[in-house]
Amino acid sequence: MVVRHVHSPGASVGFARMQNTQGWTALVTGATSGIGEACALSLSQQGARLILVGRREDRLHALASRLSTPSHCLVLDVRSREEVERSLAGLPEGFGEVDVLVNNAGVALGLEPAQEGALDDWDAMIDTNCKGLVYVTRTLLPGMVKRNRGHVVNLGSVAATYPYPGGNVYGATKAFVHQFSQNLKADLVGTRVRVTDIQPGMVETEFSVVRFRGDAQRAGKVYEGMQPLTPGDIADVVTWCVTRPAHVNINVVEVMPADQGFGPFNVKRR
């Protein structure tokens, strides 16, 4: 006779229990669309109050009306260090202690080879994807360390690891996001402040429309004939990471649609 012992959830095998985010405060940058909007909705459903950051005020208020928890709309351009410092220093009562920072604001512009790239586009990507992320993180991090709790979630990209033609500066900014995340983790050892770098592959948002300067037809061809990830897919990953037990840090998550993979080396045949 074979006897099988079945462990129930929470038994001695040590099943991880998710943290209760009720009453937490989460700040999401780039909350006016796509992944940022989906993250705000997901975290609100978990009970967190939201600070919604973006440049389009009408969209921020429209999103706030859909949340099930209190929210504060912050019209802010993360590229401005002075604006970031001033706005985050003046958060209203009940929103001043940020438990979760989702650095989602980012941009890709153009797909030209480096020798034809526009320096203005490069500046915009560096200012938003690198400097904006750094400004917000540096402003909020001391409070997290002082309270000995918090989670910084940085939205990177598989472009940080896998180069592609035309991805020159965009991919470089996401490599910065990855390495900055890793170094933050090194600095925060001994605290209960956690850091995660989320690296999505193809996600259908306004990303390609912005990259191609409003050319919706060209943007649509990026996802033609395949099933990309959705903003909700990435929001699920973010929410899973921040609700792990306090002693668990998810360093990096790389996630692609099933229809995306790795290409062969780009070789010029003569």
Side-chain angles (χ1 to χ4, degrees), residues 19-189:
Q19 291 195 77
N20 182 359
T21 62
Q22 191 78 30
W24 286 12
T25 298
L27 185 150
V28 181
T29 68
T32 54
S33 66
I35 294 172
E37 179 183 48
C39 286
L41 289 165
S42 179
L43 292 168
S44 177
Q45 290 168 3
Q46 295 295 322
R49 64 177 68 87
L50 269 297
I51 302 169
L52 307 173
V53 176
R55 292 182 293 169
R56 293 173 285 188
E57 186 173 9
D58 57 337
R59 289 201 180 191
L60 291 178
H61 288 292
L63 174 57
S65 70
R66 298 166 59 197
L67 302 181
S68 56
T69 52
S71 62
H72 173 66
C73 296
L74 196 56
V75 181
L76 172 64
D77 186 341
V78 298
R79 295 175 296 181
S80 170
R81 175 178 170 182
E82 293 76 14
E83 199 176 332
V84 168
E85 292 175 342
R86 181 179 66 253
S87 297
L88 297 186
L91 291 171
E93 185 177 353
F95 291 90
E97 296 187 355
V98 174
D99 301 287
V100 177
L101 166 60
V102 181
N103 277 313
N104 168 72
V107 66
L109 296 171
L111 202 59
E112 296 80 18
Q115 66 272 21
E116 299 172 14
L119 283 173
D120 286 346
D121 288 349
W122 291 9
D123 278 341
M125 288 187 278
I126 292 167
D127 287 346
T128 305
N129 302 354
C130 301
K131 295 168 71 175
L133 181 147
V134 165
Y135 294 156
V136 178
T137 303
R138 179 60 180 85
T139 303
L140 294 177
L141 197 59
M144 291 183 175
V145 172
K146 182 178 179 180
R147 294 186 297 274
N148 200 33
R149 72 174 192 273
H151 199 145
V152 178
V153 180
N154 293 325
L155 264 295
S157 169
V158 295
T161 305
Y162 311 108
Y164 58 88
N168 37 69
V169 170
Y170 175 73
T173 64
K174 292 306 183 177
F176 172 87
V177 170
H178 172 68
Q179 200 60 28
F180 181 63
S181 301
Q182 299 290 72
N183 279 279
L184 279 179
K185 181 67 179 72
D187 287 342
L188 293 167
V189 168

Side-chain angles (χ1 to χ4, degrees), residues 216-238:
Q217 185 175 7
R218 185 180 179 191
K221 290 187 178 298
V222 173
Y223 312 106
E224 196 172 77
M226 56 89 66
Q227 184 176 356
L229 300 172
T230 68
D233 294 330
I234 305 306
D236 282 346
V237 174
V238 171

Side-chain angles (χ1 to χ4, degrees), residues 4-5 7 21 30 75 83 95 173 183 206 244 260 268:
R4 294 184 176 88
H5 179 70
H7 287 278
T21 62
V75 181
E83 199 176 332
F95 291 90
T173 64
N183 279 279
E206 295 179 356
R244 293 310 86 207
Q260 185 181 15
K268 174 66 176 177

